[in-house]
Amino acid sequence: MATQLKWLGHGSWSLKIGEHNVLLDPFLNDSPTSPVKAEDVEADFILVSHGHFDHVADVASIANRTGATVVAIYEIADWFAKNHGVEKTIGMNLGGTAELPFGKAKMTLAHHSSQLPDGSYGGNPGGFLLALADGTIYFACDTSLFSDMKLIGAAGVDLAILPIGDLFTMGPDDSIDAIKLVAPKRVAPAHYNTWPPIEQDADAWAARVKTETSAEPIVLEPGETIEL
Ligand code: NI
Ligand code: MN
């Protein structure tokens, strides 16, 4: 079966990859747009891009209930293990690849910040390039535009997930340039419409993607699923 991606609102995603349930940046119980609660999701791996509350809020409770392995930059993996009793963690760093049972996860550069909710140092923020049996997904996660996105896309990206909310990340204008650099086959927006400061018109964004880039835009509502 093809990999299924469900948008859980904001920067949160749930992936069904073969027999594996993989979460990215679960921010569910306090998110105004999440269609699910942390108590109701399954996971055997949880990928964490950086330390901000809107990316780590529900990681520990889900990991401790499900036994999922938390995959994050070294400092954040260590923080979950030492401060939140998460038993299984994989600490990595930018440019490294973790070979996981569902595929390869490379931690990519992101230009952002990454303090953890209690003020702890969260290391550098990152994104994830997932090389799966049925394709490649690039989650830019929270970042500004940067020209090295061209290198990330060089190997061929089937689906890119880019932030478009502006204020805390790149906005729609810079996302168009990001799409040109990454050159994915398809692209979906994230990290917008969670709160008023990051409201965006996703349909207007999609129209621009169609006319200004070679990628096919996919606009999801929280809770909707696409196939890779
Ligand atoms: Ni952030
Ligand atoms: Mn964020």
Side-chain angles (χ1 to χ4, degrees), residues 179-190:
I179 295 163
K180 290 174 185 167
L181 290 166
V182 176
K185 291 194 184 107
R186 296 188 294 163
V187 60

Side-chain angles (χ1 to χ4, degrees), residues 10 50 54-55 142 191:
H10 202 56
H50 67 292
D54 57 319
H55 298 260
D142 286 19
H191 214 277

Side-chain angles (χ1 to χ4, degrees), residues 49-55 112-114 142 168-169 191:
S49 68
H50 67 292
H52 291 157
F53 78 98
D54 57 319
H55 298 260
H112 193 65
S113 57
S114 188
D142 286 19
F168 305 118
T169 65
H191 214 277

Side-chain angles (χ1 to χ4, degrees), residues 105-192:
K106 183 176 190 177
M107 184 168 276
T108 57
L109 193 67
H111 287 284
H112 193 65
S113 57
S114 188
Q115 192 177 46
L116 285 154
D118 65 358
S120 296
Y121 174 63
N124 285 308
F128 287 100
L129 184 66
L130 300 186
L132 309 176
D134 55 354
T136 298
I137 310 172
Y138 170 47
F139 290 98
C141 302
D142 286 19
T143 185
S144 67
L145 173 67
F146 55 94
S147 62
D148 285 358
M149 284 180 169
K150 189 174 179 67
L151 298 174
I152 295 169
V157 169
D158 294 296
L159 174 64
I161 311 293
L162 300 178
I164 66 162
D166 215 333
L167 191 62
F168 305 118
T169 65
M170 69 172 102
D173 288 347
D174 282 354
S175 81
I176 297 295
D177 287 327
I179 295 163
K180 290 174 185 167
L181 290 166
V182 176
K185 291 194 184 107
R186 296 188 294 163
V187 60
H191 214 277
Y192 72 101

Side-chain angles (χ1 to χ4, degrees), residues 4 20 30 53-54 65 74 87 92-93 98 102 105 109-110 150-151 162 164 171-172 181 186 190 199 205 216 218 222:
Q4 314 272 319
H20 296 284
D30 291 334
F53 78 98
D54 57 319
R65 175 176 55 80
Y74 185 87
E87 288 190 2
M92 59 192 302
N93 215 314
F102 59 85
L109 193 67
K150 189 174 179 67
L151 298 174
L162 300 178
I164 66 162
L181 290 166
R186 296 188 294 163
E199 271 176 17
W205 171 86
E216 176 197 344
I218 304 166

